[in-house]
Structures are given as C-alpha cells and as structure tokens.
C-alpha cells in the first residue's frame, strides 16, 4: 500500500464504485419487488412491530430527556442575556421538530434496528439460509428486504412524530415547573410554529429511514466469512448509517431551507 | 440431464473453477469429490443458478440456464432440491413450516393436504410426526440434516443436490444419511449430485465419481474405476495421504 499510492487510491475508488453499484442494484430490486408482488403481510407486520413498537421505550426516553435539557439550557442561557427565560417554547419546539426529533430517532433506530437487521440477514447469509430461500422459490429481496424497507419507511417517521411530542412535553414540564413559564405562553409559542417546520423534519426522517434500512440490508446480504463477518457487518452498519445520517442531515436541511420548506 | 461445459467461476482474484465439464444423465448419482475449498459447493450452486458462471455454459434438461432471466430461471429451479451443508433451516419457522416453505411457492396444489405432506416427508427421512412442531434450534445435527432433506424433497424435485451430507455427523448417523440417499434414489427415481470428501459415503451412494482439483475435473469414473485409478491425484485423495501431488497449504500466507 505504501510503495504505490496510485494503485492504493485506485483500488479504493474501485471498491467504492462497486459498493455504490451494489447499493443501487439492491434499491432497484427492492423497488421492483415492492410493486411487482403483493408485499408479504405477515413479515411486514412482524418487522413493524420489531422496528417501530419495540423502539418506543428507548425513543421515549431519549426524546423526553432531550426536550427537558433543551428547555433547561435555553431557559438559563436566555435568563442570563434577557433576565427572563424568553422563547423557551419556540426554541424547544423548533429544535425538536426540525433537528433533534428526526436525527435522534434516526440514531436510535440505526443503533437498535440497523444492527439487528444486519446481524439477522448476515447470519442468514453465512448459514446459507438466503440461498435456501432462492432454491425454495422465494426471492430474498421480496421476502426479507421489502418487509424491512416498508416497516422502516412507515415506522421511522411515526417514531419521529412521537419523539417530537414527547420531547415537547418534557420541555414543557421543565419550562413550567422549573422555569416558571406560564403554560399559555409556552403553548402559544409552540402553536406559532409553522406546519412547514414539521414537514422539514418529517421529510428528513423518511430519508434517514432509507439510509438505515438500505445500509443494514446491503451489509447483511453481502456479509461474508462466518461469525466474524456478521460482527463486522453489524458494526459497520451502525457506524456507516450514523455518519450518513449526520452528514446528510446538513445537506438535506440546506436543500429544504433553500426550497422554502421550514 | 444436467450439463456443464467449460465453466469458469472466479471471486475477485480467486479463480475457483477453470473449465469444468460434467454431464449427469437422468437417474444417476454422481459424486463430486475434492479437497476443502476446491469449489465443490460453488459447482452445485452454479447448477441451480444461485451463482452465474463467468464463462462456459450450463444446461438443465434441454434448457440452457446460463443467461436466463430470473423468471425463467425460477421455472428451472423448481426441478431442484438442495440439501445445504449446515441444513440452512429457517430459524424462525417450525419444522413443518420449513418443509412446506418450498411447496407453498413451487407446488401449491400439494398444500391441500399440507399435513400429509409434512408427515410423509418426515417419514421418508425417518422422523416422527411430532418433530413437525419443533424449532430448528431444538434439533440435533443429524436431525437438522434430515429435516433439511425432507424440505429439499417436499416439492418433489427431479434433481437433488447434496452438499456434504455427512460432514460433521458421527459415523452411524453418516450411514443413516447414506441409506437415505440410496432409498430416495430407488423410491423417487431422482437424479442426485453429491458433494463430499467422505470416501466411505462416496463408494456407498455413487454410480459415478468425479474429482475436482484446481478448478477442473481431473478424473471421472465408476467407483470401481476410481478405486483402481493410477492417477496420482486420485490415489492420494482416496487414500487420504498428506504426501503426494496435492499440496494443502498448512498455513495461509
Ligand atoms: N460467494 C462467494 N464469494 C466469494 N468467494 C466465494 C464465494 N463462494 C465461495 N467462495 C470461495 O470459493 C472457493 C471455493 O469454495 P467452495 O465451493 O465453498 O469450496 P468447497 O469445495 O469446500 O465446497 C473458496 O475459496 C471460497 O472462499
Ligand atoms: Mg462446500
């Protein structure tokens, strides 16, 4: 690797190009099977439960404390500047709806669900269960990827809306009982937030769901090399999808803002 | 009949198959022998279309499957039952659901008597009907292989591919599996391709033996011919000697 930097860079570029090609093919097959055959209802329901319902507790906890700390920090910081805790509702509401709700939910899902999907599909791959699906007349993309894809696409935005609500409630609790902000003041500020700010967050959460589920399915289905390979696929799914969520968040936000959404 | 002609398959720089020619006529049991990592499993997967060859051509009956699209390949895949090395049972499904999995997709007409299918196939492989409700995690290695076999034959395929059916089993269970392979051959008149490095099993089940070495078929013949072969590669392999032309890497570089 050190004697020939050109070859090293070339190999890296080829590797990336191959990965990108593989991802595109997987997405194309997923979309094809999504429309070609009726999705497997049973599997989709199982995945919705696994991805959505079972992520509720950890999402709730994350959102609740994030809302609380946001209210606390804004309240005390603004009190220093203005001598009064102003705009706590606005700051809490906007931060949660536009940024923290979608991003924190995505990070929680990437850690919890992305890892689980990669580990499950990876194990199925190294134990030849994915090959077995083929030989028994079932397309693995249809049977394994489509249900997870649908479940993520539906459940991640729902979780995000839920996280927004819980976070705002947490923020309200602190604003009201700790900072002494009257309830009507807080809720008037929340009500003043435009619908497009909510859309801004929701659109991003759909994009994050896509990033997570595609990364996890790709890594799982491509996983090689026994138990060690499954471990690597799982770790790299979490790392790659978290980084991609955070990086894409910036670009998506700036795109949405320039389009006038939020 | 299955026919492979000049089949090449590489994974990156690893050139696994370098021109394999094989023909398996109807009703025959062909055993492919060869060391670990010589590409025996890859050869089986090429036959069913799980992998595509880089060069060369593959026929199943009168259809060339080399470049078939997925829908047409699916029709050919119905003809195959595949027993995977680790049985590859679906962990989340019961034994009965595993057995019916292929039937549901490939032979839905048999589902009218789903229970009967499960009991009959379990009977074939010498398992009691009670096993049907267990999950794969509750089965021993030998039972997994047998359930895997029951699943592979449930849609009544014409060709059965066995990937190391006796590897990892004790000698008695190995013999039970060998007997099963023989009885399926007699009762169902199927064509079988067995991949193994277990010579005892090879002699017992095969009509014909082919040896894979360095990406090619280096010897082919009846069990008798193979046993008396003068080919040094074959001699070394069937006697299981570390001395000879086949050099196994003791340590990978
Ligand atoms: N899907 C795959 N991707 C990359 N390499 C593979 C794949 N399948 C098999 N190989 C490689 O091909 C070679 C032959 O494998 P295999 O056919 O499983 O050997 P065996 O004769 O023991 O069954 C091995 O070196 C293996 O690493
Ligand atoms: Mg093998």
């Amino acid at each position: 690797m050190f004697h020939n930097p050109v070859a090293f860079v070339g190999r890296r570029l080829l590797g990336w190009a191959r990965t990108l090609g593989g991802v595109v093919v997987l997405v194309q097959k997923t979309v094809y099977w999504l429309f070609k055959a009726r999705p497997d209802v049973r599997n989709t329901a199982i995945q919705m439960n696994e991805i959505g319902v079972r992520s509720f507790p950890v999402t709730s906890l994350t959102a609740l404390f994030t809302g609380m700390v946001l209210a606390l920090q804004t309240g005390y910081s603004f009190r220093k500047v203005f001598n009064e805790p102003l705009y706590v509702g606005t700051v809490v509401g906007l931060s949660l709806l536009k940024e923290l709700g979608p991003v924190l939910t995505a990070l929680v899902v990437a850690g919890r669900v992305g890892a689980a999907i990669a580990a499950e599909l990876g194990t199925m791959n190294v134990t030849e269960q994915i090959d077995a699906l083929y030989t028994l007349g079932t397309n693995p993309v249809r049977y394994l990827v489509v249900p997870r894809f649908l479940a993520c696409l539906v459940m991640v935005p729902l979780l995000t809306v839920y996280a927004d609500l819980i976070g705002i409630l947490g923020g309200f609790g602190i604003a009201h009982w700790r900072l002494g902000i009257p309830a009507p003041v807080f809720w008037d500020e929340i009500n003043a937030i435009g619908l497009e700010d909510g859309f801004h967050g929701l659109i991003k959460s759909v994009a994050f769901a896509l990033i997570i589920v595609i990364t996890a399915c790709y890594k799982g289905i491509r996983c090689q090399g026994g138990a060690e390979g499954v471990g690597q696929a799982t770790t790299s799914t979490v790392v790659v999808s978290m980084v991609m969520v955070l990086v894409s968040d910036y670009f998506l936000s700036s795109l949405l803002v320039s389009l006038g959404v939020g | 009949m299955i026919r492979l002609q000049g089949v090449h398959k590489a994974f990156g720089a690893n050139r696994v198959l370098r021109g394999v020619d094989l023909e398996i006529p109807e009703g025959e049991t062909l055993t492919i022998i060869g060391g670990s990592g010589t590409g025996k499993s890859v050869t089986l997967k090429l036959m069913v279309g799980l992998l595509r060859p880089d060069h060369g051509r593959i026929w199943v009956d009168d259809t060339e499957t080399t470049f078939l699209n997925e829908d047409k390949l699916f029709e050919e895949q119905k003809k195959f039952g595949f027993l995977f090395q680790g049985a590859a049972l679906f962990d989340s499904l019961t034994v009965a659901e595993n057995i019916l999995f292929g039937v549901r997709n490939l032979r839905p007409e048999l589902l009218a008597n789903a229970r009967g299918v499960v009991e009959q196939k379990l009977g074939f492989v010498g398992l009691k009907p009670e096993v049907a409700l267990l999950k794969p995690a509750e089965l021993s290695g030998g039972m997994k292989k047998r359930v895997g076999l029951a699943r592979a034959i449930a849609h009544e395929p014409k060709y059965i591919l066995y990937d190391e059916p006796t590897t990892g089993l004790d000698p008695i269970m190995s013999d039970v599996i060998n007997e099963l392979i023989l009885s399926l051959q007699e009762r169902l008149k199927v064509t079988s391709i067995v991949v193994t490095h277990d010579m005892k099993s090879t002699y017992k089940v095969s009509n014909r033996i082919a040896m894979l070495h360095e990406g090619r078929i280096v010897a082919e013949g009846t069990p008798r011919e193979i046993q008396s072969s003068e080919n040094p590669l074959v001699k070394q392999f069937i006697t299981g000697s570390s001395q000879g032309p086949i050099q196994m890497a003791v340590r990978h570089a």
Side-chain angles (χ1 to χ4, degrees):
Chain A
M1 129 163 91
F2 295 111
H3 346 281
N4 194 344
V6 176
F8 174 71
V9 170
R11 247 195 313 276
R12 271 303 176 86
L13 285 176
L14 276 179
W16 285 336
R18 213 172 287 133
T19 306
L20 194 64
V23 169
V24 169
V25 169
L26 178 64
V27 171
Q28 181 224 324
K29 283 186 180 166
T30 307
V31 172
Y32 172 83
W33 281 106
L34 196 59
F35 293 107
K36 161 142 178 181
R38 207 168 56 87
D40 188 319
V41 177
R42 178 170 175 252
N43 269 323
T44 310
I46 292 174
Q47 291 305 322
M48 284 188 166
N49 183 47
E50 194 56 46
I51 291 167
V53 180
R54 301 191 56 191
S55 297
F56 258 61
V58 59
T59 310
S60 310
L61 213 64
T62 312
L64 181 70
F65 280 92
T66 304
M68 283 162 61
V69 80
L70 260 179
L72 190 77
Q73 296 280 26
T74 335
Y76 281 101
S77 308
F78 284 12
R79 196 182 263 169
K80 272 190 206 148
V81 183
F82 303 117
N83 269 327
E84 225 181 315
L86 292 172
Y87 304 124
V88 173
T90 310
V91 171
V92 168
L94 278 180
S95 319
L96 278 167
L97 285 174
K98 294 181 76 174
E99 277 304 319
L100 295 169
V103 171
L104 290 178
T105 307
L107 294 182
V108 164
V109 170
R112 218 195 134 265
V113 175
I117 291 177
E120 188 181 3
L121 298 193
T123 305
M124 289 188 74
N125 195 18
V126 300
T127 57
E128 298 184 300
Q129 290 179 53
I130 293 187
D131 284 341
L133 282 174
Y134 256 121
T135 64
L136 296 170
T138 296
N139 185 291
V141 172
R142 177 182 174 201
Y143 185 75
L144 299 173
V145 178
V146 169
R148 286 165 175 79
F149 184 85
L150 281 176
C152 273
L153 226 51
V154 173
M155 295 318 271
V156 173
L158 281 182
L159 277 173
T160 302
V161 171
Y162 169 77
D164 292 342
L165 290 176
I166 293 286
I168 289 172
L169 283 178
F172 171 72
I174 296 301
H176 189 57
W177 285 295
R178 179 123 187 223
L179 301 169
I181 298 171
V185 173
F186 185 90
W187 292 116
D188 279 349
E189 285 178 18
I190 296 288
N191 282 333
I193 295 171
L195 208 55
E196 70 279 5
D197 291 314
F199 272 129
H200 179 105
L202 272 188
I203 291 172
K204 290 200 295 189
S205 83
V206 171
F208 298 157
L210 285 173
I211 289 174
I212 295 165
V213 73
I214 288 165
T215 309
C217 289
Y218 178 80
K219 295 272 179 191
I221 281 188
R222 287 304 182 90
C223 153
Q224 294 274 315
E228 193 189 342
V230 176
Q232 275 169 5
T234 310
T235 316
S236 86
T237 295
V238 175
V239 173
V240 169
S241 55
M242 282 188 178
V243 169
M244 285 195 351
V245 163
L246 294 171
V247 172
S248 69
D249 181 43
Y250 172 78
F251 292 101
L252 278 169
S253 302
S254 85
L255 179 72
L256 287 171
V257 168
S258 72
L259 291 175
V261 186
Chain B
M1 185 204 63
I2 300 173
R3 193 146 62 94
L4 275 70
Q5 195 184 74
V7 168
H8 288 250
K9 182 72 192 175
F11 297 100
N14 181 7
R15 291 165 64 225
V16 180
L17 300 184
R18 303 171 218 171
V20 168
D21 296 300
L22 261 181
E23 193 172 320
I24 304 108
E26 223 91 315
E28 185 181 79
T29 300
L30 171 79
T31 301
I32 303 173
I33 57 173
S36 299
T38 48
K40 303 185 299 295
S41 301
V42 167
T43 308
L44 288 186
K45 287 179 184 173
L46 284 162
M47 288 179 187
V48 270
L50 280 171
L51 293 171
R52 304 269 185 157
D54 300 332
H55 299 287
R57 308 171 73 179
I58 298 170
W59 283 267
V60 175
D61 297 330
D62 296 323
T63 313
E64 184 176 353
T65 60
T66 328
F67 304 109
L68 283 187
N69 66 29
E70 258 182 48
D71 286 336
K72 295 215 177 94
L73 193 58
F74 179 70
E75 290 304 311
E76 297 305 314
Q77 285 174 334
K78 285 184 182 180
K79 298 178 183 166
F80 289 91
F82 202 126
L83 175 60
F84 289 90
Q85 196 168 333
L89 301 177
F90 304 125
D91 301 314
S92 56
L93 305 180
T94 63
V95 167
E97 287 167 331
N98 264 285
I99 292 174
L100 292 173
F101 199 95
V103 178
R104 191 160 285 133
N105 300 310
L106 305 168
R107 298 288 302 278
E109 70 276 11
L110 299 179
L111 278 180
N113 181 19
R115 202 193 163 92
V117 171
V118 172
E119 287 183 3
Q120 185 203 17
K121 301 310 170 199
L122 284 175
F124 251 143
V125 297
L127 291 173
K128 296 204 189 75
E130 295 89 86
V131 176
L133 296 177
L134 300 179
K135 286 277 180 80
E138 299 169 84
L139 306 176
S140 70
M143 280 165 96
K144 277 187 190 153
K145 280 269 162 85
R146 287 198 267 180
V147 173
L149 188 51
R151 183 178 73 179
I153 61 174
H155 57 283
E156 299 178 355
K158 186 171 163 190
Y159 301 104
I160 305 184
L161 310 184
Y162 299 88
D163 195 351
E164 308 209 3
T166 59
T167 302
L169 300 180
D170 64 68
I172 296 171
M173 187 51 74
S174 297
D175 204 52
V176 170
I177 300 282
N178 290 337
E179 292 290 344
L180 277 174
I181 297 175
L182 282 172
S183 85
L184 285 175
Q185 201 175 316
E186 277 161 26
R187 282 150 76 183
L188 307 179
K189 307 283 176 238
V190 290
T191 308
S192 314
I193 298 130
V194 183
V195 149
T196 190
H197 43 221
D198 172 352
M199 288 316 295
K200 188 159 171 265
S201 165
T202 305
Y203 294 137
K204 183 153 187 174
V205 303
S206 331
N207 305 130
R208 209 152 54 88
I209 299 172
M211 178 163 164
L212 186 62
H213 178 68
E214 295 191 336
R216 286 197 187 82
I217 301 294
V218 291
E220 218 181 320
T222 62
R224 197 178 283 276
E225 284 165 357
I226 290 290
Q227 252 169 326
S228 55
S229 169
E230 286 304 314
N231 184 330
L233 293 167
V234 177
K235 269 173 103 168
Q236 186 194 348
F237 191 83
I238 65 176
T239 56
S241 165
S242 63
Q243 307 299 314
I246 306 176
Q247 295 296 317
M248 294 262 175
V250 176
R251 261 199 311 164
H252 286 283

